[in-house]
Amino acid sequence: MIVETVYLGRDNTIDLLLKDEKGPVDLADVTKVDLVLSDTVTVSDSVPTDYPIQWSGTGATGKIIMQLGGEDIPAGSYRARLIIYDPSNPDGIVWDELGIVVK
């Protein structure tokens, strides 16, 4: 499992590349991305060009960028689920789990 660190009050980013068997996935149809940290905190975004969660809107780039230092997340260690929504998956797909340490 990947473990990433979030520094509260800082502009550091977590950059992820989403791939399937064909390579980077096309995120053009994505309507929302959630990051659920240990079922207690959810960071959600539905605007692909804004933070806290940003993704490329067209093409097979598959890149997700999260800037979480300005979010209201208590310090600690979390097991986080990345959930991707699109018109074909209105209830979302759990793409992956990752560890997040908030300092």
Side-chain angles (χ1 to χ4, degrees):
M1 174 187 318
I2 298 170
V3 177
E4 297 283 349
T5 302
V6 171
Y7 296 96
L8 295 173
R10 303 292 179 203
D11 295 329
N12 298 67
T13 62
I14 297 172
D15 297 12
L16 302 174
L17 183 61
L18 307 185
K19 294 181 179 180
D20 63 13
E21 65 279 349
K22 299 174 195 164
V25 296
D26 186 346
L27 301 175
D29 292 333
V30 171
T31 56
K32 183 171 93 166
V33 176
D34 286 346
L35 183 69
V36 180
L37 296 103
S38 301
D39 295 324
T40 58
V41 177
T42 299
V43 178
S44 183
D45 205 334
S46 58
V47 180
T49 57
D50 278 348
Y51 288 120
I53 303 173
Q54 187 180 65
W55 65 91
S56 303
T58 306
T61 60
K63 191 168 185 178
I64 301 270
I65 304 170
M66 296 179 283
Q67 188 178 65
L68 306 174
E71 298 303 300
D72 187 20
I73 304 171
S77 295
Y78 298 90
R79 185 178 192 116
R81 287 186 319 274
L82 183 66
I83 304 171
I84 309 295
Y85 300 82
D86 63 27
S88 298
N89 301 287
D91 295 324
I93 293 175
V94 176
W95 190 270
D96 203 357
E97 288 191 348
L98 62 148
I100 297 203
V101 177
V102 179
K103 297 181 178 187

